[in-house]
Amino acid sequence: MQTTNAENKMGVMPVNKLLLSMAVPIMISMMVQAFYNVVDSYFVAKISENALTAVSMAFPIQNLMIAVGSGVGVGMNALLSRALGEQKPEEASHYAMQGIFLLLVGYGLFLMIGLFFIHTFMASQTDIAEIANYGTAYLKVCCFFSFGLFGQFAFERISQGTGRTMDSMISQTVGAVANIILDPIFIFGLGFVPKLGVTGAAVATVIGQILGAIVGLFLNLTKNKEIRFSLRDILPDWQVAGRILTIGVPSILMVSIGSLTTYTLNRILGAFTSTAVAVFGAYFKLQSFIFMPIFGLNNGMIPIIAYNYGARQKERLYKTIRLSMLYAVSIMFIGLAVFQLLPDKLLLLFEASEQMLTIGIPALRIISLSFLLAGINIIAGSVCQALGRSMYSLLLSIGRQLVILLPAAYLLSLSGQIQFVWFSYPVAEIGAFLLSLILLRRALRQLNWEPADNKRN
């Protein structure tokens, strides 16, 4: 039975109410995830500053996993939602199953990375054996059991793509809460559980991810009537998988560039002191409280834009973009105020030493100057993804991070003053803002508003 616009809220609900109903549950779940990221580092920091530094250096590999999961999810989500908007439920289900297939391939890739490349990766960032060993142990657990992470991406994005963002929130929250509860148990040992230190933080993380994936699968199987789950459809259909990757690969590359950026900045900062790397890691955990809600807003926005483009409802699409920009800037303004007024309090969450405070307080204040423009840039890139212009998002990410941020950070590091390195962030966002305005305008002008029934399949 085919779905009609009247049956799907993405085609009929008032746009502001729709955006909030789609985005707020995801934003809440992502805030919970941001909280567990901070809690994770909070407990790790109690082991030692070297332990916190190791987890910070491990982040690029974790971010690569997120890149693959979110990139495939973006491609699957955009095509799935567009198919529903065009009244093609069977096609939407097939996109969902092929998305799951691609995520299984992603798990196999990171299993191989965990088996053969982790110690080399850690040793390339530090010559301190304790830091390298901590990071190697942490990442091996994360890679071996990353099927939980990829399962979460699969089932949460299917829920989001069909407008069931409350189900997505439930599965994400279950995983995050489990991680928060298990962190101190596995890190410090409790009852029959031995003290595992940094490895315990990884164990808590993967258990939370596996539980989140199980809950997500259960909710989709029992509640999601718009997607038909079929093991036969998970078998590779290279043509459909290729369509998903056409949209998803630029997103994968875009997030992967973040891994390269973090890795390179770790090396630049490590040339000053390992404490600077710990500060950078603490910043990444703290900024997730600001950026995670924006990413939640994105995840609610993308299916609305894709659906209404498929349904040829132009005004609803444009209103969604305007409201998303407004909410993103508002959230970023709050983040800017907090980072400017309370940097010392934020850093003390990580047992910050005097040296860490000396480096970290100006770092948080300088980097946060970029927040307002960053919010606009993130929304602009995601709109391009939702409209099938993922290359624009990739160009924006390349321009911001590889063309501006990293060269600026390196050149500023030559001054010998570590605080100058942090100014690379505001400089990068100014350049990215100018580029995002050009690319977003081009993406919108290139849209084809011909009725869907008149287009060739």
Side-chain angles (χ1 to χ4, degrees):
M1 182 177 179
Q2 290 192 334
T3 305
T4 67
N5 282 353
E7 293 172 334
N8 194 303
K9 64 182 181 180
M10 289 190 287
V12 295
M13 185 181 288
V15 173
N16 189 45
K17 182 179 179 181
L18 172 64
L19 181 61
L20 292 176
S21 71
M22 292 280 287
V24 169
I26 307 174
M27 292 166 72
I28 292 172
S29 64
M30 287 199 162
M31 284 293 288
V32 175
Q33 287 191 26
F35 180 68
Y36 93 67
N37 282 335
V38 171
V39 169
D40 199 58
S41 292
Y42 170 81
F43 287 119
V44 167
K46 288 186 174 296
I47 300 171
S48 68
E49 187 177 293
N50 278 351
L52 178 61
T53 302
V55 173
S56 300
M57 289 181 173
F59 177 75
I61 294 293
Q62 291 180 290
N63 197 54
L64 279 177
M65 295 183 205
I66 294 170
V68 173
S70 64
V72 172
V74 165
M76 174 179 66
N77 221 348
L79 292 169
L80 184 160
S81 297
R82 189 181 303 174
L84 290 176
E86 294 174 347
Q87 314 308 312
K88 299 174 181 177
E90 290 298 321
E91 188 173 302
S93 295
H94 196 50
Y95 281 128
M97 296 304 104
Q98 287 302 296
I100 292 175
F101 160 71
L102 289 172
L103 290 168
L104 289 172
V105 173
Y107 166 63
L109 170 65
F110 282 96
L111 179 61
M112 293 299 102
I113 290 174
L115 285 170
F116 300 111
F117 299 109
I118 293 303
H119 185 73
T120 301
F121 168 77
M122 287 301 304
S124 71
Q125 296 180 85
T126 180
D127 56 2
I128 301 174
E130 184 179 45
I131 294 176
N133 291 335
Y134 276 149
T136 299
Y138 181 86
L139 279 175
K140 280 190 173 182
V141 173
C142 291
C143 289
F144 289 175
F145 297 95
S146 59
F147 61 83
L149 174 67
F150 291 113
Q152 273 193 301
F153 271 113
F155 304 124
E156 288 168 8
R157 293 306 171 89
I158 290 171
S159 293
Q160 292 167 17
T162 54
R164 305 190 63 84
T165 53
M166 187 62 70
D167 290 351
S168 174
M169 183 191 78
I170 292 170
S171 63
Q172 286 182 338
T173 302
V174 167
V177 170
N179 193 342
I180 292 169
I181 294 171
L182 294 174
D183 256 333
I185 295 175
F186 283 98
I187 292 173
F188 304 113
L190 184 65
F192 65 89
V193 178
K195 179 179 178 181
L196 298 177
V198 173
T199 303
V203 171
T205 295
V206 298
I207 291 176
Q209 291 166 349
I210 292 169
L211 288 175
I214 292 171
V215 172
L217 174 60
F218 174 79
L219 291 173
N220 273 288
L221 289 175
T222 58
K223 291 187 174 184
N224 196 338
K225 305 303 180 185
E226 296 195 272
I227 298 298
R228 178 179 59 85
F229 284 79
S230 168
L231 291 176
R232 183 181 62 185
D233 282 346
I234 295 179
L235 296 174
D237 180 336
W238 298 112
Q239 184 177 14
V240 172
R243 292 177 196 160
I244 294 173
L245 291 176
T246 298
I247 297 175
V249 165
S251 180
I252 292 171
L253 294 175
M254 183 172 60
V255 181
S256 298
I257 288 169
S259 291
L260 176 61
T261 300
T262 303
Y263 174 80
T264 306
L265 285 172
N266 281 342
R267 295 191 57 146
I268 291 172
L269 295 169
F272 288 93
T273 169
S274 63
T275 300
V277 178
V279 167
F280 190 47
Y283 160 73
F284 254 98
K285 301 296 183 179
L286 293 168
Q287 60 91 33
S288 65
F289 275 109
I290 313 302
F291 282 82
M292 282 294 196
I294 306 296
F295 296 142
L297 179 65
N298 272 352
N299 289 342
M301 175 194 72
I302 286 173
I304 297 173
I305 291 176
Y307 184 98
N308 283 284
Y309 180 48
R312 299 303 185 260
Q313 299 197 54
K314 184 176 182 179
E315 183 52 39
R316 289 176 64 82
L317 186 151
Y318 275 82
K319 189 171 184 179
T320 301
I321 296 172
R322 291 193 296 269
L323 287 170
S324 298
M325 291 280 190
L326 175 63
Y327 289 135
V329 171
S330 300
I331 292 168
M332 286 298 193
F333 181 80
I334 295 171
L336 171 63
V338 172
F339 273 58
Q340 291 295 319
L341 297 173
L342 303 171
D344 53 337
K345 304 296 190 298
L346 296 174
L347 290 167
L348 286 171
L349 292 172
F350 304 99
E351 306 287 322
S353 62
E354 282 299 319
Q355 185 185 15
M356 191 170 172
L357 289 172
T358 300
I359 296 172
I361 289 174
L364 296 191
R365 284 179 171 155
I366 292 169
I367 295 175
S368 63
L369 296 174
S370 66
F371 281 3
L372 296 182
L373 292 181
I376 296 173
N377 295 337
I378 291 169
I379 295 297
S382 295
V383 170
C384 292
Q385 289 178 331
L387 297 174
R389 300 293 189 273
S390 295
M391 286 303 298
Y392 288 0
S393 297
L394 179 58
L395 287 174
L396 180 58
S397 186
I398 290 173
R400 175 185 173 273
Q401 298 186 76
L402 299 187
V403 177
I404 306 175
L405 179 61
L406 288 183
Y410 173 72
L411 292 173
L412 290 168
S413 73
L414 298 179
S415 68
Q417 301 296 316
I418 193 169
Q419 64 267 28
F420 288 176
V421 177
W422 311 120
F423 279 102
S424 58
Y425 272 88
V427 169
E429 293 301 346
I430 292 171
F433 173 70
L434 298 175
L435 182 59
S436 70
L437 293 182
I438 296 170
L439 294 177
L440 179 59
R441 184 180 180 186
R442 288 191 63 180
L444 293 174
R445 291 179 67 179
Q446 291 171 352
L447 293 182
N448 178 9
W449 291 106
E450 177 186 349
D453 289 340
N454 294 335
K455 295 178 67 180
R456 290 185 179 180
N457 292 331

